[in-house]
């Protein structure tokens, strides 16, 4: 009995150490799911650029306070290489991704945008093979073929007039920037902590969107209070806290495993969109999205097998 208790006691400590990293994945998934619905809701009342800039200004201010507080006023100084990667990851993921993401919401329902954007984890897997020299496995190849067939079905929904082709292109472009940003973020995390990495990336994204500042200022009086608060929420929650938590998770789990967690986002988005906006993707897009996500999930098997 004593031996059993001792074994249980010795096995207990690792569990709490896993709780925080797992929560660091779950929280961004929930917050990011909400952004698809909020963006679709706000689309009729604000242009993509100003909406993205207000969001990133709120995120940058939040992260500046957090970085100075957590590092007691002395955040770590990055090397030139890390700073360059941070600027690139921020411009692509925080900046360009956010604009294309917002823009896609003007054409497509939230669920369809989520289905297309979450093709990104497969792109991350391919990028890991190309840039991080990870093995190109059979599951990754099969996942690519399956996902591409799903993307083709979603594209077919646009071809028959169920979805706007422009929206599909914008959403796919957002997925590409999402994947590129995640790969670059991984390089920065080799040197800097998640909070500093997220902070620098967000500042870079905000700077990249400064060309939208004149339009934001000139049209500020026309932005409704709920839309303004929506942009601020998305900056503080999904952008600042969400990316910080995500960066922390990236330091605790393999890149592909963290990326695969985002597969839950489309399902959450579709449910939220139905409950709040009364929208769902057309049947062809739903089938294609399910096939695409199945392919992405199959591609992640290579990580589990590698660990085994």
């Amino acid at each position: 009995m004593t031996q059993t208790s001792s074994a249980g006691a010795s096995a207990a400590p690792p569990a709490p150490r896993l709780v925080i990293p797992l929560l660091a994945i779950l929280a961004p998934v929930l917050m990011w799911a909400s952004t698809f619905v909020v963006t679709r809701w706000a689309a009729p009342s604000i242009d993509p650029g100003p909406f993205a800039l207000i969001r990133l200004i709120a995120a940058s201010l939040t992260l500046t306070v957090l970085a100075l507080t957590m590092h007691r006023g002395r955040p770590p100084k990055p090397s030139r290489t890390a700073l360059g990667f941070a600027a690139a990851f921020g411009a692509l993921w925080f900046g360009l991704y956010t604009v294309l993401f917002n823009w896609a919401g003007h054409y497509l329902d939230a669920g369809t945008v989520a289905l297309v954007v979450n093709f990104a984890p497969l792109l991350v897997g391919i990028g890991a093979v190309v840039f991080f020299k990870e093995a190109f496995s059979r599951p990754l190849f099969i996942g690519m073929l399956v996902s591409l067939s799903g993307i083709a079905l979603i594209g077919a929904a646009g071809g028959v007039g169920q979805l706007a082709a422009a929206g599909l292109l914008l959403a796919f472009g957002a997925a590409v920037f999402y994947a590129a940003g995640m790969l670059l973020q991984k390089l920065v995390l080799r040197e800097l902590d998640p909070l500093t990495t997220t902070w620098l990336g967000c500042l870079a994204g905000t700077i990249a969107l400064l060309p939208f500042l004149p339009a934001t200022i000139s049209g500020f009086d026309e932005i409704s209070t709920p839309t303004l608060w929506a942009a601020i929420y998305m900056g503080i929650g999904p952008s600042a806290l969400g990316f910080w938590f995500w960066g922390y998770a990236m330091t605790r789990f393999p890149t592909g495993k963290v990326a695969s967690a985002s597969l839950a986002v489309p399902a959450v988005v579709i449910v939220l969109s139905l409950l709040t906006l009364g929208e769902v993707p057309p049947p062809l897009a739903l089938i294609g999205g399910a096939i695409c996500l199945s392919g992405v999930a199959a591609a992640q098997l290579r990580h589990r097998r590698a660990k085994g």
Side-chain angles (χ1 to χ4, degrees), residues 68-233:
L68 294 178
T69 301
M70 297 296 291
H71 294 294
R72 299 181 180 180
R74 301 183 65 181
K77 295 181 180 180
S79 65
R80 289 185 178 180
T81 300
L83 190 60
F85 283 134
F89 126 68
L92 292 176
W93 199 354
F94 280 99
L96 295 177
Y97 164 81
T98 305
V99 173
L100 292 186
F101 172 81
N102 291 348
W103 202 354
H106 285 250
Y107 294 96
L108 303 175
D109 63 90
T112 299
V113 176
L115 290 169
V116 177
V117 167
N118 278 276
F119 180 64
L122 181 59
L123 299 178
V124 172
I126 297 171
V129 171
V130 175
F131 300 108
F132 298 157
K133 306 305 179 183
E134 294 185 9
F136 189 85
S137 63
R138 181 179 296 178
L140 179 60
F141 178 72
I142 295 173
M144 285 174 54
L145 294 180
V146 173
S147 291
L148 288 174
S149 66
I151 288 292
L153 278 179
I154 297 175
V160 298
Q162 292 180 312
L163 296 171
L168 291 174
L169 290 174
L170 289 167
F172 186 76
V176 173
F177 287 131
Y178 174 154
M182 181 175 284
L183 291 168
L184 288 167
Q185 181 195 39
K186 188 71 173 178
L187 296 176
V188 183
L189 288 168
R190 292 176 176 176
E191 178 179 324
L192 299 174
D193 62 278
L195 177 56
T196 303
T197 298
T198 306
W199 177 45
L200 292 176
C202 192
L203 290 176
T206 304
I207 293 171
L209 296 188
L210 285 181
F212 294 106
L213 184 60
T216 304
I217 294 174
S218 64
F220 191 80
D221 292 339
E222 300 177 5
I223 301 174
S224 68
T225 300
T227 300
L228 180 61
W229 278 113
I232 293 172
Y233 155 72

